[in-house]
Amino acid sequence: MSEHHHGHGHHHHHHDNHFTDMEARVKALETVLTEKGLIDPAAIDAIVETYEMKIGPRNGARVVAKAWVDADFAEWLKRDATAAIASLGFTGRQGEHMRAVFNTADTHNLVVCTLCSCYPWSVLGLPPVWYKAPPYRSRAVIDPRGVLSEFGVTLPEATRIRVWDSTAELRYLVVPERPAGTEGFSEEELAGLVTRDSMIGTGLALSAEAVR
Ligand code: FE
């Protein structure tokens, strides 16, 4: 029974071992291809970075932008994020459930996986290295305000910070607050303001000037 305390069950650790095995195979493949002069490791790093920073999180940015412009969608996202997100064509690979947590004027949400690296792949793509690293995983819970300040986010003292611990079964998407001065923005322009970090909670949406 302690196995399921925290929601990180047996199945989940199989999943992690599977990933470790896959990572080892990928590494081996990369080494062989590099030695044969077929690939440049720097080019691989650039591709991974593109997936982490740009391509992966675009799905989540579209979900957030839609929630900002469409109150019915936002309501649906609040009630049943898995279904609302799936309606845009973004579904998990293992049937994991999604929950959207909305930042407000007095509450900021921060997502972590304290035990491993559960991450909402379907909307954010590949997790950043820091998300999987022990310092973030432990400190996000103990000292969320300190962690946020290291990411350059300073919140008013009165703002409550809620920390959400992801599991294999339930993953979180932070819906950042819509920036001021974006009233006339198209959904596409709004999506351009939604950064990966703002959907993990280690950042805020960009200000209006960023896209216009
Ligand atoms: Fe995990």
Side-chain angles (χ1 to χ4, degrees):
M1 79 182 192
S2 62
E3 202 173 61
H4 284 272
H5 147 91
H6 209 77
H8 281 74
H10 196 194
H11 174 74
H12 182 53
H13 289 107
H14 272 293
H15 150 82
D16 279 355
N17 291 341
H18 174 73
F19 258 86
T20 303
D21 181 51
M22 188 165 88
E23 278 163 8
R25 284 166 176 277
V26 167
K27 198 72 213 162
L29 192 58
E30 188 182 327
T31 303
V32 171
L33 292 173
T34 304
E35 280 171 2
K36 288 188 180 293
L38 294 172
I39 57 163
D40 171 5
I44 300 286
D45 290 347
I47 292 167
V48 169
E49 193 186 303
T50 301
Y51 270 90
E52 269 181 28
M53 303 293 292
K54 301 200 171 81
I55 298 170
R58 285 306 92 205
N59 292 350
R62 284 182 49 201
V63 172
V64 171
K66 188 167 177 63
W68 283 347
V69 299
D70 180 342
D72 289 338
F73 182 78
E75 196 48 51
W76 188 15
L77 189 61
K78 219 171 262 181
R79 214 175 52 240
D80 185 354
T82 310
I85 290 169
S87 77
L88 298 181
F90 312 134
T91 52
R93 299 190 305 195
Q94 295 160 328
E96 60 268 21
H97 287 274
M98 288 291 309
R99 177 161 174 197
V101 288
F102 290 66
N103 286 351
T104 64
D106 41 48
T107 304
H108 182 87
N109 296 285
L110 180 67
V111 178
V112 65
C113 176
T114 54
L115 291 195
C116 42
S117 57
C118 298
Y119 192 69
W121 304 83
S122 60
V123 282
L124 295 189
L126 297 172
V129 170
W130 54 258
Y131 184 86
K132 298 183 279 186
Y136 178 76
R137 285 160 41 200
S138 55
R139 292 193 48 235
V141 177
I142 300 165
D143 180 22
R145 210 170 277 276
V147 168
L148 286 178
S149 75
E150 283 162 29
F151 277 91
V153 177
T154 310
L155 300 170
E157 273 305 312
T159 303
R160 183 168 70 127
I161 302 173
R162 292 193 71 176
V163 180
W164 301 89
D165 195 356
S166 307
T167 68
E169 294 79 23
L170 184 58
R171 321 231 168 165
Y172 299 92
L173 175 71
V174 174
V175 179
E177 283 195 285
R178 180 173 174 163
T182 57
E183 291 72 19
F185 278 40
S186 69
E187 211 171 306
E188 190 65 33
E189 286 175 312
L190 288 170
L193 300 176
V194 185
T195 63
R196 176 196 66 195
D197 286 4
S198 73
M199 294 181 280
I200 301 174
T202 51
L204 304 174
L206 302 176
S207 63
E209 299 77 51
V211 293
R212 277 198 171 169

